[in-house]
Amino acid sequence: MRFVFSCLLLISSVYLSNAQDDLLSQIDQELDEGKVMIEGTFKGTRLINGHSVETRSRKNLTFIISHRFGNIRGGAYEFFGMDGANIRLGLDYAVTDKFTLGIGRNSLGKHLDGFAKYRLLSQSKGDKQIPVAITYFGSAAYRTVRMVPELNFQQNLAFTNQLLIARKISSAVSLQLMPVWVHYNAVAIQENNDVFAVGIGGRYKIGKRFSINAEYYYQIQELNPDYFNALALGFDIDTGGHIFQFHITNSSAMIAKGFVGETTDDFFGGNIHLGFNITRNFQL
Amino acid sequence: MSYTSLIKFLICYAKDPNFNPCRSDPFNGSDVHQHCLNGIVCQTDVIKGAGRGPVPFFVFDQIKRVVGLKAQLIILLIICSFSLFAQGTLIDKNGTARFYSEAPVENIEAINKKAIGAIDLSNGSLAVSMLMRDFTFEKSLMQEHFNENYVESDKYPKSTFKGKILNYDPGKFNKPGSYTLKVSGDLTIHGVTNPLETEILCQVSNESISVETKFIVAVAKFKIDIPKIVFYNIAEEVEVTASFNFKTNPSK
């Protein structure tokens, strides 16, 4: 009993000494950060070609216009590839804070694509520490370009399953690992129906609204003939409602099915495309 | 030994320090202890008193055991209450801070309902502290930009104010009514401290003191830069309002 009292006395005397400090330091101790969610691992929902771990919160509608121009080797005559552009127009809608649905139309292969993205885990610190953020990404792409010989509906489909695992290491540096499996319903002879790849990417923030990004998809199995791994380098400018992403890449496609398994240009052979994504966000 | 017998005992002890309970029971007249009238310490009572021999020790022991317990508790309570309220310090942990800026494209408004405020009634000093992450916006992306690009909540998680009521009269808060008082102090946002002078409106009732204030913050003074490239068209001056409600009688 006496021990308990002396303990209480000690505690209260500690309180007493606190009270002698100034008022601000007294209430400052009351502020509890608790579990702090780590936000803004990446500026955009796209890293460059592929997706980032980010999902927008509920009722956000994002309109994304993406271009990948022709081969830079076309020189001045082709205006460094800008005479021929592949375009993807896309709409993403955040159904919940964690769940996003999106659709898009690509000029390359006249693909229609749809995707679902679900945030499985968010990075946090403080009371509850979670080291990484994980998002699942699944998509289906339907090729509508007329082929010879003609292919049926099923043969024109391809599916992507991907895990996006990211960590915001500091306010400036974020890294992302993205294992991906692409399945093509129909492929040419000698090509694989299934392509497995591991993507690695990241960003480095130079200013508050400016970051440099890189993204590389490495195919685990032997590459299909005449195909290359996709590499992209670029930068983001965040202007509030808009995000401008400019980049160079050896991929002409803007959907996983295209850039993971169907990149036909060799980056280091100088077959590079300029490209951009422009994102406009609307909160509905 | 029960309370009543202890009290009886103390009364007797006060009258005659040599009083021995074994000798007699002055309240009940003669009783079982009659046999030890000769001043010999009563064996039964020694056993009952768990070996306490001479009377004075016995008494002090009992005082310590029973009264002392209470006394210690009272002392403890006094100390505790001193530490929290002795200087007349009132704390509100659910204060509200809000800012608003009007801009041609869109108005920006955010609210923080977890601001902590404190007032020391003995000398009129005031303090406010809040986490910048607790500000909520209608647009989630705006909230992210606020934390990431403007106030840098990672580096500077808190905003604070520390000040004093000018010409403070401690008696004022004892009388119900509404008073407008001048406050001067230091406002810290984004790691930058600037002096702030503002007026507070205090409404004193029997149960509580509510404090409200409104002032303008020039964003540039706190090194929060608004780049020209931003399409939001953020105003350079932001109107801040804050309100706290201090319960003067926390038990109610």
Side-chain angles (χ1 to χ4, degrees):
Chain A
M1 204 59 179
R2 213 161 275 183
F3 175 71
V4 174
F5 274 129
S6 35
C7 282
L8 282 172
L9 269 169
L10 197 73
I11 291 165
S12 52
S13 62
V14 170
Y15 265 103
L16 195 64
S17 62
N18 277 346
Q20 286 156 357
D21 288 352
D22 73 282
L23 211 51
L24 183 59
S25 55
Q26 198 183 330
I27 59 167
D28 249 6
Q29 294 163 357
E30 307 267 345
L31 275 184
D32 180 20
E33 280 209 273
K35 178 184 173 187
V36 180
M37 305 299 286
I38 307 280
E39 288 178 314
T41 307
F42 295 100
K43 291 278 185 204
T45 55
R46 305 299 194 281
L47 187 51
I48 294 178
N49 288 319
H51 278 254
S52 77
V53 77
E54 295 292 338
T55 53
R56 291 281 174 248
S57 46
R58 193 170 160 264
K59 283 191 169 179
N60 270 283
L61 181 71
T62 310
F63 178 49
I64 304 182
I65 309 164
S66 305
H67 280 53
R68 299 291 179 274
F69 296 103
N71 197 322
I72 207 168
R73 288 184 136 182
Y77 178 69
E78 292 281 345
F79 197 36
F80 303 96
M82 275 188 254
D83 286 350
N86 289 307
I87 304 166
R88 181 181 182 271
L89 298 175
L91 275 177
D92 297 2
Y93 180 71
V95 183
T96 71
D97 290 355
K98 293 180 171 181
F99 183 54
T100 300
L101 289 174
I103 49 165
R105 168 62 164 71
N106 304 265
S107 63
L108 183 68
K110 301 191 189 297
H111 279 93
L112 291 171
D113 70 277
F115 72 83
K117 204 172 168 183
Y118 188 79
R119 173 81 74 134
L120 299 166
L121 206 60
S122 292
Q123 191 182 337
S124 65
K125 63 176 183 183
D127 282 355
K128 200 177 172 201
Q129 298 193 341
I130 301 171
V132 290
I134 302 177
T135 299
Y136 164 79
F137 171 81
S139 89
Y142 177 55
R143 183 174 48 206
T144 63
V145 71
R146 291 186 188 111
M147 306 281 280
V148 182
E150 209 170 301
L151 298 174
N152 65 25
F153 175 77
Q154 298 228 322
Q155 288 168 322
N156 278 313
L157 282 172
F159 301 93
T160 304
N161 281 292
Q162 187 175 26
L163 272 185
L164 308 159
I165 305 159
R167 178 168 166 80
K168 190 178 188 178
I169 292 164
S170 68
S171 63
V173 180
S174 301
L175 286 179
Q176 185 169 276
L177 192 72
M178 40 236 179
V180 56
W181 164 41
V182 184
H183 177 80
Y184 303 89
N185 273 3
V187 289
I189 302 161
Q190 295 179 325
E191 289 186 2
N192 304 314
N193 279 93
D194 294 292
V195 168
F196 296 93
V198 175
I200 185 157
R203 73 109 185 253
Y204 178 72
K205 239 164 99 177
I206 290 173
K208 282 179 203 162
R209 294 167 185 84
F210 189 89
S211 77
I212 290 177
N213 300 359
E215 180 193 71
Y216 181 64
Y217 278 92
Y218 174 77
Q219 293 188 42
I220 295 164
Q221 80 293 324
E222 205 182 322
L223 286 171
N224 285 329
D226 301 325
Y227 288 121
F228 293 90
N229 290 324
L231 174 66
L233 304 168
F235 59 88
D236 287 4
I237 301 168
D238 176 12
T239 64
H242 292 83
I243 297 164
F244 295 92
Q245 299 181 298
F246 295 97
H247 30 258
I248 51 169
T249 170
N250 57 337
S251 166
S252 299
M254 288 154 271
I255 49 174
K257 174 241 181 201
F259 61 81
V260 174
E262 294 178 337
T263 296
T264 51
D265 288 322
D266 180 9
F267 192 93
F268 299 103
N271 296 306
I272 297 165
H273 305 261
L274 296 168
F276 66 78
N277 305 332
I278 295 176
T279 303
R280 170 68 209 180
N281 200 80
F282 303 94
Q283 175 118 31
L284 302 181
Chain B
M1 199 175 222
S2 69
Y3 269 89
T4 39
S5 55
L6 179 80
I7 290 161
K8 283 179 197 170
F9 182 87
L10 286 175
I11 292 165
C12 296
Y13 181 73
K15 281 180 185 164
D16 172 18
N18 291 322
F19 170 75
N20 189 324
C22 297
R23 281 185 205 146
S24 66
D25 188 335
F27 298 92
N28 292 335
S30 61
D31 71 59
V32 283
H33 298 313
Q34 285 288 333
H35 63 275
C36 45
L37 272 169
N38 293 333
I40 305 154
V41 173
C42 166
Q43 286 303 311
T44 8
D45 260 81
V46 169
I47 294 159
K48 274 186 188 167
R52 287 171 185 87
V55 171
F57 282 112
F58 175 73
V59 169
F60 286 126
D61 242 20
Q62 288 297 334
I63 289 170
K64 261 195 214 162
R65 231 169 69 135
V66 184
V67 182
L69 209 86
K70 276 187 166 175
Q72 282 187 31
L73 267 173
I74 289 160
I75 290 164
L76 202 74
L77 279 171
I78 289 166
I79 290 169
C80 282
S81 55
F82 252 81
S83 66
L84 294 169
F85 303 109
Q87 299 168 315
T89 302
L90 301 174
I91 294 176
D92 178 14
K93 290 186 186 176
N94 296 307
T96 303
R98 189 192 290 269
F99 70 81
Y100 178 79
S101 89
E102 211 166 324
V105 178
E106 47 194 334
N107 298 334
I108 296 164
E109 195 178 8
I111 184 162
N112 185 335
K113 288 181 176 171
K114 292 179 189 165
I116 301 185
I119 182 166
D120 185 342
L121 296 180
S122 68
N123 58 12
S125 54
L126 295 165
V128 175
S129 187
M130 69 190 80
L131 292 171
M132 294 310 264
R133 281 199 186 278
D134 289 335
F135 274 102
T136 54
F137 292 68
E138 199 189 329
K139 291 189 174 181
S140 59
L141 212 53
M142 226 182 230
Q143 189 169 327
E144 189 184 313
H145 292 147
F146 171 76
N147 286 315
E148 288 277 313
N149 301 345
Y150 292 93
V151 296
E152 298 174 273
S153 304
D154 261 0
K155 277 191 220 162
Y156 314 105
K158 287 172 188 174
S159 263
T160 57
F161 174 76
K162 194 168 121 178
K164 259 185 178 284
I165 295 171
L166 298 175
N167 306 319
Y168 180 63
D169 166 23
K172 216 162 209 181
F173 287 102
N174 294 333
K175 285 174 281 177
S178 115
Y179 311 101
T180 304
L181 303 166
K182 282 211 159 104
V183 167
S184 161
D186 291 322
L187 180 67
T188 306
I189 304 171
H190 192 236
V192 182
T193 304
N194 277 308
L196 175 75
E197 273 201 33
T198 182
E199 280 187 345
I200 58 169
L201 176 68
C202 302
Q203 275 173 334
V204 182
S205 73
N206 289 328
E207 288 85 34
S208 67
I209 300 169
S210 80
V211 178
E212 270 175 51
T213 186
K214 185 192 270 189
F215 53 88
I216 301 289
V217 166
V219 172
K221 276 193 174 177
F222 293 90
K223 293 187 180 157
I224 300 168
D225 50 315
I226 299 165
K228 291 282 178 289
I229 197 170
V230 167
F231 288 72
Y232 273 145
N233 253 336
I234 292 163
E236 312 241 313
E237 291 194 327
V238 174
E239 183 188 275
V240 178
T241 53
S243 63
F244 295 92
N245 190 33
F246 302 105
K247 294 225 167 18
T248 38
N249 211 338
S251 59
K252 274 184 187 170

